[in-house]
């Protein structure tokens, strides 16, 4: 029996290191001694497709069938039968992914679009667009005069209001709502683009003492992307005081763990991973800045 492994890790028979939709050990193709050929999906995130039909379990496949892993079409004749018609001198039976596949530029574009949309929502929610400058004048309190020759005094009522406003601004409750970002200063070139060596993006929603959200983590050195489908709720927890205790689950690599998120200010939080189980590339301890 001949066995072929396919995935994003470099130790696969067919290594798809540039295909971010492929899982690390995506699927396995077997050719039995009697000539039968099957393909088995190894619990991948985005599925394995034969002739554009998603498979479940060990599925028969022919040499003339189209096998798609992530965004890559694979011609099995190169590995199990005769050479692929029209193949070049290297004989690699991998067809280029369709042009509609996401590039690093598209990923950053989507992140930027998300930031703009969330910023507009926050502005409407806080009533910024509804606030108008008052054209009237404050009433003159007893003991206060508008005579320019008299020393200027402040109304006791105005003083009390200013103190209350100052206290409210300086003692804010912890609010984790928003999009938070951390990235290294060092960079690498990936697919012709300069990107941070490591980064973490948190998109969080808070309702009362409940917090939900998602994370997106990137490691250019290991060429690992965790949380590509970060629209899923992969971060869930509760808030107590200025700290949230959360659990997280990798949307791509299958790992999970726990973390604490500390609210430092309106523009800063600290992520501290307290446990990890299985594969994931979530950083241990980093401080994130609010980007909207």
């Amino acid at each position: 029996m001949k066995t072929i492994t396919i995935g994003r890790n470099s130790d696969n028979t067919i290594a798809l290191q540039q295909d971010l939709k492929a899982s690390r050990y995506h699927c396995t193709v077997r050719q039995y001694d009697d000539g039968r050929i099957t393909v088995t999906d190894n619990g991948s995130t985005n599925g394995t497709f034969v002739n554009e039909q998603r498979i479940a379990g060990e599925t028969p496949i022919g040499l003339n069938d189209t096998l798609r892993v992530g965004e890559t079409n694979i011609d099995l004749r190169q590995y199990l039968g005769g050479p692929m018609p029209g193949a070049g001198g290297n004989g690699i039976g991998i067809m280029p992914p369709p042009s509609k596949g996401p590039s690093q530029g598209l990923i950053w574009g989507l992140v930027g679009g998300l930031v703009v949309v969330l910023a507009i929502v926050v502005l409407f929610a806080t009533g910024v667009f509804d606030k108008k400058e008052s054209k009237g004048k404050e009433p003159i309190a007893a003991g206060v005069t508008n005579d320019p020759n008299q020393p200027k005094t402040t109304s006791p009522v105005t003083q009390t209001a200013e103190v209350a406003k100052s206290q409210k601004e300086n003692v804010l409750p912890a609010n984790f709502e928003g999009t938070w970002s951390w990235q290294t200063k060092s960079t690498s070139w990936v697919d012709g683009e300069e990107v941070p060596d490591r980064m973490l993006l948190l998109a969080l929603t808070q309702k009362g003492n409940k917090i939900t959200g998602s994370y997106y983590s990137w490691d250019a050195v290991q060429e690992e992307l965790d949380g590509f489908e970060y629209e899923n709720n992969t971060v869930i927890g509760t808030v107590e005081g200025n700290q949230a205790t959360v659990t997280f689950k990798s949307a791509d690599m299958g790992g999970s763990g726990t973390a604490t998120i500390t609210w430092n200010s309106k523009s800063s939080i600290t992520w501290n991973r307290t446990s990890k189980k299985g594969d994931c590339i979530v950083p241990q301890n980093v401080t994130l800045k609010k980007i909207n």
Side-chain angles (χ1 to χ4, degrees), residues 59-252:
T59 302
I61 186 172
L63 289 177
N64 293 322
D65 290 331
T66 299
L67 173 63
R68 179 165 66 83
V69 174
E71 294 190 323
T72 305
N73 292 327
I74 299 174
D75 193 313
L76 292 178
R77 290 173 294 185
Q78 177 63 29
Y79 303 94
L80 300 176
M84 181 176 63
N90 59 9
I92 298 177
I94 300 178
M95 303 175 186
S99 58
K100 65 180 181 179
S103 64
Q104 287 294 324
L106 178 57
I107 293 175
W108 283 109
L110 291 174
V111 172
L114 175 63
V115 169
V116 172
V117 172
L118 289 176
I120 293 174
V121 171
V122 170
L123 289 174
F124 273 108
T126 54
V128 171
F129 293 142
D130 295 330
K131 293 179 181 178
K132 297 181 179 178
E133 183 179 357
S134 174
K135 296 182 179 179
K137 296 182 179 180
E138 291 186 8
I140 300 175
V144 180
T145 176
N146 281 336
D147 187 347
N149 296 320
Q150 294 293 327
K152 186 175 182 181
T153 60
T154 303
S155 165
V157 176
T158 304
Q159 288 180 332
T160 303
E162 289 176 351
V163 171
K165 180 180 179 181
S166 175
Q167 291 176 342
K168 183 177 180 180
E169 289 179 348
N170 293 328
V171 186
L172 292 173
N175 184 1
F176 296 90
E177 184 95 17
T179 305
W180 310 80
S181 175
W182 165 83
Q183 64 185 37
T184 58
K185 293 182 179 179
S186 59
T187 60
S188 297
W189 287 90
V190 178
D191 293 337
E193 294 188 46
E194 188 176 15
V195 297
D197 283 340
R198 297 194 69 189
M199 69 168 290
L200 175 65
L201 185 74
L202 291 176
L204 302 176
T205 300
Q206 181 177 340
K207 292 184 179 180
N209 69 334
K210 301 297 182 183
I211 187 171
T212 59
S214 307
Y215 76 88
Y216 170 94
S217 187
W218 162 256
D219 190 326
V221 177
Q222 300 182 30
E223 295 187 353
E224 293 284 5
L225 179 67
D226 190 5
F228 182 79
E229 299 175 348
Y230 67 96
E231 65 272 19
N232 298 328
N233 281 334
T234 53
V235 178
I236 300 175
T238 56
V239 178
E240 184 174 350
N242 71 332
Q243 193 171 82
T245 302
V246 300
T247 60
F248 64 88
K249 183 177 181 182
S250 170
D252 181 47

